[in-house]
C-alpha cells in the first residue's frame, strides 16, 4: 500500500473511533441517569435501554448488507450517523417513556451496524498495512475517557439535559471522518455468499459465553452511575472513575500486539471475563470511593482485552470467507442479545432488590461465562 495513503487512512480510522466513542462516553454511562431524573422507574429505564441492543440483535446483519451493497458506503454510513444523532436530540423535548422509546429505537436502528462494519474494515486494513487494529481503536477509548470525565462535571453544573445535547452533537461530528475512509474494503458480494458456511464448534461456545458476559457488563454500564448517585457522590466522581478504567483499556489496546504474541487469545478471554466478575463483586459490596476508583482499573481487561480477544479468535481461527459473518454474529449476540437481557434484567433487579444486588448477580453471570469459554477452549485444542 502507498505509505502516505496508508497513514492518512489510519488517521481517519483513529479520528472516527475517537469521536464516535466520545459520543458513546456520554450516551452509555449517563443516559440511565437522564431517565431516572425524568421520573422513569427502574423497569422503564431497563426497557428503553434494551431497545439499543434489541436493534443490534435484529438489524445488524441487515444494516451491514445494505452498507456492503451501497455504491458509496462512506456516504451511507455518514448519513445514518447524522440522522441517528439528530433524532437523539428530541429526547430533550419529549422526555416521556413512550416518546423516549420511539426516539431510542430510531437512533439505534439507524446506526446499528456501524461499529461492526468499521471494525471489519479496520481489521482488513490492519492485515494489509500492518498497522495494529488496537493502536487505532485505542483512540476510541481515549475519546470515551475525555467525554465521560468532562461530562460528569457538566452534569453537576448544567443538569441532565446536557447529557442528550452533548451526545447528539458529538455523534453528528463523528460522521465527518466517515466521508474519507475506504469503507468498501472487505465487503465483496462473493464473500457474503460464501459466508453461509457453518462455524466451528468452539465458536458456538464463544457466542453463548458472550451473551452471559455482556449481560453482566450491561448491569455495570447501566447502573454504575446510579450506584455512585445513591452512595452520595457527585457525577464528577462517576466520570473520573470511568475515565480511570478506560485509561487502563487504552494501555491494554496499545500493547495488544505484545500480549497476543505471548498469550493465547482464548486464555486472555477467560482471564478478562474472570476479572470482570471480580470488579462486579467488589462494586456490589463496597461504597468506598477509593475502592471504587481502584477496582475500575480492571476495565482494561474486563472490556478492552475481552473485545480484542474475540476479534483475534475470529481472525486466527476462522476461515477468511466467514469472518465478516462471525463478526456480525458476535456483535448480535453480545452487544445485541446479551445487552437486551442485561438491560431488562438489571432494571427488574433494581426495582426488586436495589442497586447492589445488580452487581452481585452480574458477577455470577461473568464467572459462568468464563467457565463456558474454558470448555470451548478445550474444544478448540481438540480440533487443532
Amino acid at each position: 500500500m502507498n505509505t502516505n495513503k496508508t497513514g492518512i487512512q489510519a488517521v481517519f480510522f483513529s479520528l472516527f473511533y475517537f469521536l464516535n466513542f466520545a459520543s458513546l462516553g456520554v450516551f452509555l454511562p449517563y443516559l440511565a441517569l437522564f431517565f431516572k431524573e425524568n421520573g422513569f422507574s427502574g423497569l422503564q429505564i431497563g426497557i428503553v435501554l434494551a431497545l439499543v441492543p434489541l436493534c443490534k440483535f435484529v438489524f445488524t446483519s441487515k444494516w451491514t448488507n445494505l452498507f456492503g451493497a451501497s455504491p458509496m458506503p462512506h456516504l451511507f454510513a455518514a448519513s445514518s450517523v447524522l440522522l441517528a444523532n439528530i433524532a437523539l436530540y428530541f429526547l430533550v423535548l419529549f422526555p416521556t417513556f413512550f416518546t423516549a422509546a420511539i426516539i431510542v429505537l430510531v437512533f439505534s436502528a439507524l446506526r446499528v451496524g456501524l461499529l461492526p462494519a468499521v471494525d471489519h474494515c479496520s481489521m482488513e486494513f490492519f492485515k494489509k498495512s500492518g498497522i495494529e487494529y488496537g493502536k487505532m481503536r485505542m483512540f476510541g477509548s481515549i475519546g470515551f475517557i475525555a467525554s465521560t470525565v468532562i461530562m460528569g462535571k457538566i452534569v453537576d453544573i448544567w443538569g441532565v439535559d446536557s447529557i442528550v445535547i452533548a451526545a447528539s452533537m458529538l455523534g453528528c461530528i463523528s460522521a465527518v471522518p466517515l466521508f474519507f475512509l475506504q469503507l468498501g474494503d472487505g465487503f465483496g458480494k462473493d464473500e457474503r455468499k460464501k459466508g453461509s458456511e457453518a462455524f466451528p464448534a468452539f465458536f458456538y461456545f464463544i457466542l453463548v459465553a458472550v451473551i452471559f458476559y455482556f449481560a453482566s457488563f450491561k448491569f455495570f454500564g447501566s447502573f454504575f452511575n446510579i450506584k455512585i448517585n445513591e452512595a452520595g457522590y457527585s457525577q464528577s466522581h462517576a466520570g473520573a472513575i470511568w475515565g480511570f478504567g478506560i485509561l487502563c483499556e487504552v494501555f491494554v489496546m496499545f500493547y495488544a500486539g505484545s500480549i497476543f504474541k505471548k498469550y493465547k487469545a482464548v486464555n486472555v478471554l477467560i482471564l478478562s471475563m474472570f476479572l470482570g466478575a471480580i470488579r462486579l463483586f467488589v462494586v456490589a459490596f463496597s461504597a468506598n470511593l477509593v475502592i471504587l476508583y481502584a477496582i475500575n482499573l480492571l476495565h482494561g481487561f474486563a472490556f478492552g482485552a475481552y473485545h480484542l480477544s474475540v476479534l483475534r479468535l475470529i481472525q486466527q481461527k476462522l476461515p477468511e470467507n466467514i469472518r465478516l459473518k462471525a463478526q456480525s454474529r458476535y456483535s448480535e449476540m453480545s452487544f445485541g442479545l446479551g445487552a437486551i437481557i442485561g438491560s431488562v434484567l438489571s432494571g427488574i433487579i433494581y426495582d426488586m432488590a436495589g442497586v447492589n444486588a445488580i452487581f452481585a448477580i452480574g458477577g455470577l453471570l461473568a464467572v459462568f461465562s468464563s467457565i463456558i469459554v474454558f470448555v470451548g477452549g478445550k474444544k478448540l485444542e481438540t480440533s487443532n
Side-chain angles (χ1 to χ4, degrees), residues 32 77 89 175 222 236:
Y89 175 76
S222 294
S236 296

Side-chain angles (χ1 to χ4, degrees), residues 3 22 34 42 70 101 161 268 374 383:
T3 304
F34 171 83
S70 172
D161 283 356
V268 176
F374 178 79
S383 65

Side-chain angles (χ1 to χ4, degrees), residues 74-192:
H74 58 289
L75 183 60
F76 177 89
S79 300
S80 296
V81 170
L82 283 170
L83 290 172
N85 284 283
I86 290 169
L88 185 65
Y89 175 76
F90 285 89
L91 279 176
V92 174
L93 305 178
F94 307 104
T96 67
F97 173 67
F98 180 72
T99 54
I102 294 174
I103 291 165
V104 170
L105 190 64
V106 171
F107 169 82
S108 304
L110 282 169
R111 52 164 293 146
V112 65
L114 179 67
L115 276 176
V118 176
D119 275 346
H120 178 75
C121 292
S122 58
M123 287 294 285
E124 292 296 314
F125 175 74
F126 154 57
K127 284 169 59 181
K128 294 175 183 177
S129 67
I131 298 175
E132 275 281 349
Y133 164 81
K135 290 187 177 179
M136 295 182 288
R137 174 59 178 77
M138 73 177 189
F139 283 96
S141 301
I142 293 169
F144 199 100
I145 292 170
S147 64
T148 302
V149 172
I150 294 169
M151 201 64 218
K153 182 63 70 176
I154 291 174
V155 171
D156 287 339
I157 297 171
W158 284 301
V160 294
D161 283 356
S162 62
I163 296 168
V164 173
I165 295 169
S168 177
M169 290 177 61
L170 286 167
C172 286
I173 296 170
S174 73
V176 175
L178 292 171
F179 286 105
F180 301 96
L181 286 170
Q182 296 174 0
L183 293 178
D185 290 354
F187 277 87
K189 293 180 182 179
D190 291 339
E191 185 184 67
R192 285 206 303 274

Side-chain angles (χ1 to χ4, degrees), residues 38 58 67 91 101 113 146 149 162 209 223 233 240 283 353-354 376:
N38 277 283
V58 175
F67 174 82
L91 279 176
V149 172
S162 62
F223 282 90
Y233 304 121
V283 172

Side-chain angles (χ1 to χ4, degrees), residues 64 73 86 98 108 110 155 223 248 295 313 322 330 344 346 373:
T64 53
I86 290 169
F98 180 72
S108 304
L110 282 169
V155 171
F223 282 90
C248 191
I295 198 62
L313 285 168
I322 61 171
Y330 157 59
V344 176
S346 61
V373 174

